[in-house]
Amino acid sequence: MGKISIHEWFSKKQKEKQQQNSSSEKLNIPDNLWIKCVSCKTALYAKELKENLNVCPKCGYHFKLSALERINLLIDGGSFKELSPTLKATDFLGFFDSKPYAKRIEDAILKSSLNEAIVIGEGLIENIKTSLGVMEFSFMGGSMGSGVGEKFTRMIEHSIENKIPAVVVTASGGARMQEGIMSLMQMAKVSAALGRLRETGLPYIVVLTDPTTGGTTASFAMLGDIQIAEPEALIGFAGPRVIEQTIRQKLPKKFQRSEFLLEHGMIDLICERKNLKGTLSKILKFFVE
Amino acid sequence: MGKISIHEWFSKKQKEKQQQNSSSEKLNIPDNLWIKCVSCKTALYAKELKENLNVCPKCGYHFKLSALERINLLIDGGSFKELSPTLKATDFLGFFDSKPYAKRIEDAILKSSLNEAIVIGEGLIENIKTSLGVMEFSFMGGSMGSGVGEKFTRMIEHSIENKIPAVVVTASGGARMQEGIMSLMQMAKVSAALGRLRETGLPYIVVLTDPTTGGTTASFAMLGDIQIAEPEALIGFAGPRVIEQTIRQKLPKKFQRSEFLLEHGMIDLICERKNLKGTLSKILKFFVE
Amino acid sequence: MKQNFDEIKNLLPFESHLKDLFKKIEELKKLSEKEEVNLEEEIRMVRKRIDAMRQDIFSKLTPLQVVQVARFIMRPTTLDYISLIFEDFIELHGDRNFSDDAAIVAGIAKLDGRSVVVIGHQKGHTTKELIARNFGMANPEGYRKALRIMRMAVRANKPIISLIDTSGAYPGLGAEERGQAEAIAKNLREMAVFTVPFISIITGEGGSGGALGIAMGNRVLMMEYSIYSVISPEGCASILFRDATRAPEAAKASKITAKDLLEFRVIDEIIKEPVGGAHNNYKEAAANVKAAILKHLNEISNFSSRELVADRYNKYRNMGIFVE
Amino acid sequence: MKQNFDEIKNLLPFESHLKDLFKKIEELKKLSEKEEVNLEEEIRMVRKRIDAMRQDIFSKLTPLQVVQVARFIMRPTTLDYISLIFEDFIELHGDRNFSDDAAIVAGIAKLDGRSVVVIGHQKGHTTKELIARNFGMANPEGYRKALRIMRMAVRANKPIISLIDTSGAYPGLGAEERGQAEAIAKNLREMAVFTVPFISIITGEGGSGGALGIAMGNRVLMMEYSIYSVISPEGCASILFRDATRAPEAAKASKITAKDLLEFRVIDEIIKEPVGGAHNNYKEAAANVKAAILKHLNEISNFSSRELVADRYNKYRNMGIFVE
Ligand SMILES: [Zn+2]
Ligand SMILES: [Zn+2]
């Protein structure tokens, strides 16, 4: 468990966020700005967008949510207890591309005010105690390296130890290539944890958000007892460009979007953000009652 | 177990067969006759065909085998012990179409020298003790009614009780409609027996022969740990005519044939009749050794 | 849900002589409005007469007439029953393999506060809906979806309720390619060993393997005017009698009504329908179904996992009539 | 099986300077025939020199050169190894859902008299075979077939041997439609809890999730010149360095050779290859693989089902390097 109270933690995180220079992040721009919806191109008043849970009031396009916003959305006020908040990635390969991995980690921590691309913890969802993992896409594209793998695994183990359901909200570009083979091994690690969870009969619920691809999809993101997706989220194994290069043709419209996956039998339901907590709580009630 | 020795049983059955008037059955015609291959249209000397296990020496077309011929082919000489040989169907619905079901049963018994469309028993396949069920297509099209369902179930139970593998050779047009709903219930019954068998870890091997369709396919014929098919056997759920009526177009060539099922992932391997016993014994050895 | 139900338009062929009585009611209503007189008593009397006649008609239905009721387009569908019987239903989709088959619906729900999984074939009340649902005829994906969700129920230790209403599994090209037989067969084997209470209700048509594919409950119940058969009367007539017009005969010979099947102990109970069939009163029909589910669920809820499997195994093990 | 292996034609780019020595051997052979003199000793000497030079070359391979060896078209495939290591192999086909994927082969066999299930990616030695096998890149059906047959091994309580040789799971349209990610993910979860001994060997390319999808053994071994990586060096270069030509650098940085992975304890042992790589001597390569399988199988064969699951769980549970 985190060493500070949840209340302190939240205000600390929020303060950190406000202090950042974050002009590139839609969600942190001043309230009086206008934002153009990436889908319907409508100019939206930033405050209005925020109040609408970052969903375009005109066309329903779901903008990204940060992990903290997501936790705020899903978890009953003040009930979230973070687990392993200090766990961090480390540059064990001495890997560098345009900049060293060590520097990338540092930058990501500064930018997101989080130590890794997933926040894990325990909290109440309409009074049901749940293990929760929420990915942060702004942290190196939500990529899964040793840190994410370890934290996800601990989240599942927390579920098993406390006999409570597990919920994960995904947002990830896949494996963290800067950790080489070790990032691949995380797929095995998290899936093994889910194999153990499954044997207990405890439920594991996945909420897929835009985007979820690569090794994350091919491991814990596709293993939910129930798979929920936000509308129009990109969800796939290979990236669209790789596929286009392979098949040498344009991809169909809506390819790899939530609606496409629903049609192809890969997810249970698509749920708008405003209904997400209610739906999750009904699902959890089905399992725990 | 049958009350007579296997040797007696075999000679009795063979004698009965020879005594029959069976001009309609290719396999019982005098040895000096010529038979036209239904596939390549070659005229074949009946004796030659018989010696070649009823496989056309020119094109490899697999003619039907009777249950007794099949048992002779697969089971080590003299090791077969029949189970429940006296079990018979009965006309409990008083069902009649062009003739009463009671009469149909009688005729089928006379024609086939068997009491039902399946022979079950225990025998050695290259020295491996095995439960065996072999269907007889000439007995009312190998249809599954209460008799077939009960005998199949007993065969599986024999397997469980004696901790030996189970092998079935199918040849069936599906459910025996003259028994109404009770024939449908046999699908549940035989599948339930296989559910129990599966929990023991004992293997269940299916050999699909021409034709296997309808409720037989949709129950025990598709539930093998390993699914073997003879070449070009018709295997399907719905009959080709029903499908053509539904989709209002001609079916592709080779539709619902063994090769088609292999391509579509439904069977493990296609095995020529001459290799069948060897292949079965290798498979059984994998499981029992 | 039943909407704008036109009682005259929706008379079954064998009750068309009730048309005049319904017209009479309409006239009385108009008159009452026009003249501002209260004719409720009169209307009530006609209704009573209709009900009495219907009770008489329905008590003497031929098997083929029962088939007509069971197949009637206004007959409540699985989703109708779900909305009237369960709370907090969340539909779950997909077989995690190939597609989501709209001919079978499945989901989680509450039944009087108790968590259950409910699955069923889905037809529809309009041509459009019927086409979207492939007339309730599932492809392999439907059976695989059902299995996936039933297995989830087993892991979560929740009872399963299945509602059966299909003329059969879809006999299409793709269905064969993707293993219709395999999908149904696997369901049968797996349902046999489910360690949770499992109740199946034939609500409309129980068509052959396509029905059985989700119907291997510990208890199998049938609505009063539903049918359950190994082949449709038409199919039976055309195959066995080589004459499709002999369906009435085939229907009779094949014993496909709830009453017949109760006699053979293939089913455990008949669920009463409202006067004139379930389509005349969805609420009453649903209430009867709910009561039956609860009764049977209560009876088997105390069974251990082992007992549930043994109970189900014995039920099907003992089916069959033969001599020896 | 290796056939008509042309030693000159099949020299790897970085050993092309050996060409002259091979030509020398050919000349000596011709001369010996023509003049009817015995030049075997001379030939043996040249061979010895070749071997010595090769040993030297191969001891200093750059990571990208190892990649070239691992991908070489003449490198033994899964079916080559199967025919040389196992007896009584019977190939089993199909996922029982959609198709049979030729990019993954699976079957039952005997290993020194012991029953085992063996699965592996299958490439090929000719363009025709490679196309038929989709270059060893499996669709979801391949992973589902593998899972089906591995589960059969678990029911039958037989060990599983998997041979890994793929550049990755196929990134095609149909593969996405039919759930490539789901298929791989499910395999990972299920492999983790298999109650039988499970040994995986990277024989050629261990490409990302497509490799891992059948590679979660209790023991994971690598051939000396095989690679195992989360992304191909070319892919890594083009994504991270935004320049595909920087593959050598990416190969080096990513640590993809057997030696590197042994250091990270991602693998348990390196299997020695014949001089000049496995393609120069299938028999020797296969013998080494067989010896390694037997050694590790013997070590874990005494484990109980429970211990096997715990052993495998802990192996993967402990993978990862982070600070806290
Ligand atoms: Zn918009
Ligand atoms: Zn021929």
Side-chain angles (χ1 to χ4, degrees), chain B residues 198 200-202 222 224-227 262-269 278-280 282-283 285-289, chain D residues 88-100 108-110 113 115-117 148-149 152-153 155-156 158:
Chain B
R198 193 172 171 89
T200 65
L202 289 164
M222 272 295 153
D225 289 295
I226 292 181
Q227 299 272 133
L262 187 72
E263 197 180 305
H264 287 284
M266 292 303 147
I267 57 174
D268 284 294
L269 65 154
T279 301
L280 264 179
K282 274 188 198 168
I283 290 172
K285 273 177 190 136
F286 164 81
F287 283 102
V288 303
E289 280 176 2
Chain D
D88 286 346
F89 176 67
I90 295 181
E91 188 176 349
L92 304 178
H93 294 269
D95 66 345
R96 301 275 199 280
N97 261 307
F98 185 78
S99 81
D100 181 52
I108 56 175
K110 292 283 183 178
S115 295
V116 297
V117 155
R148 176 180 78 80
I149 293 170
M152 186 186 78
R155 283 198 308 282
K158 308 299 181 197

Side-chain angles (χ1 to χ4, degrees), chain A residues 36-42 44 55-61 63:
Chain A
K36 200 172 173 186
C37 172
V38 296
S39 178
C40 71
K41 316 294 179 197
T42 307
L44 303 167
V55 175
C56 172
K58 295 282 176 267
C59 75
Y61 177 80
F63 287 79

Side-chain angles (χ1 to χ4, degrees), chain A residues 32-253:
Chain A
N32 57 349
L33 270 193
W34 293 90
I35 295 170
K36 200 172 173 186
C37 172
V38 296
S39 178
C40 71
K41 316 294 179 197
T42 307
L44 303 167
Y45 195 39
K47 196 180 163 191
E48 183 192 19
L49 182 61
K50 205 164 187 175
E51 277 166 0
N52 200 37
L53 310 171
N54 277 340
V55 175
C56 172
K58 295 282 176 267
C59 75
Y61 177 80
H62 283 53
F63 287 79
K64 287 186 182 60
L65 277 191
S66 72
L68 301 189
E69 286 167 326
R70 181 71 66 177
I71 292 166
N72 260 330
L73 174 72
L74 296 181
I75 297 292
D76 299 350
S79 74
F80 188 73
K81 292 174 211 148
E82 194 182 7
L83 292 165
S84 308
T86 60
L87 196 151
K88 285 182 195 187
T90 181
D91 182 13
F92 54 89
L93 292 180
F95 193 99
F96 64 96
D97 39 87
S98 57
K99 56 180 166 176
Y101 179 39
K103 177 81 171 83
R104 284 196 186 279
I105 298 170
E106 233 174 77
D107 291 353
I109 292 173
L110 278 171
K111 185 178 154 207
S112 67
S113 313
L114 299 175
N115 281 329
E116 248 301 357
I118 190 169
V119 176
I120 63 165
E122 177 198 295
L124 301 175
I125 296 178
E126 292 194 6
N127 266 316
I128 301 164
K129 201 190 267 186
T130 308
S131 260
L132 180 73
V134 180
M135 300 188 84
E136 173 66 48
F137 192 74
S138 76
F139 195 108
M140 292 190 72
S143 57
M144 171 161 65
S146 300
V148 170
E150 177 70 19
K151 288 182 83 173
F152 181 90
T153 303
R154 290 186 187 180
M155 191 268 285
I156 296 302
E157 287 170 344
H158 185 77
S159 212
I160 296 170
E161 280 156 29
N162 295 277
K163 298 191 174 64
I164 57 176
V167 174
V168 71
V169 183
T170 67
S172 169
R176 189 168 297 170
M177 286 172 281
Q178 292 86 350
E179 295 190 15
I181 195 76
M182 213 50 98
S183 67
L184 184 67
M185 290 302 116
Q186 302 312 304
M187 291 171 64
K189 176 170 171 166
V190 297
S191 303
L194 290 171
R196 275 189 64 200
L197 180 73
R198 193 171 171 89
E199 291 182 341
T200 66
L202 289 163
Y204 168 57
I205 316 295
V206 175
V207 180
L208 298 149
T209 78
D210 184 59
T212 301
T213 59
T216 303
T217 317
S219 60
F220 66 79
M222 272 294 154
L223 292 174
D225 288 296
I226 291 181
Q227 300 271 132
I228 307 172
E230 287 201 329
E232 292 177 84
L234 178 78
I235 304 158
F237 176 61
R241 259 166 308 171
V242 175
I243 300 170
E244 281 187 342
Q245 280 166 19
T246 307
I247 63 170
R248 293 160 202 270
Q249 63 187 75
K250 277 272 161 206
L251 293 171
K253 230 189 143 193

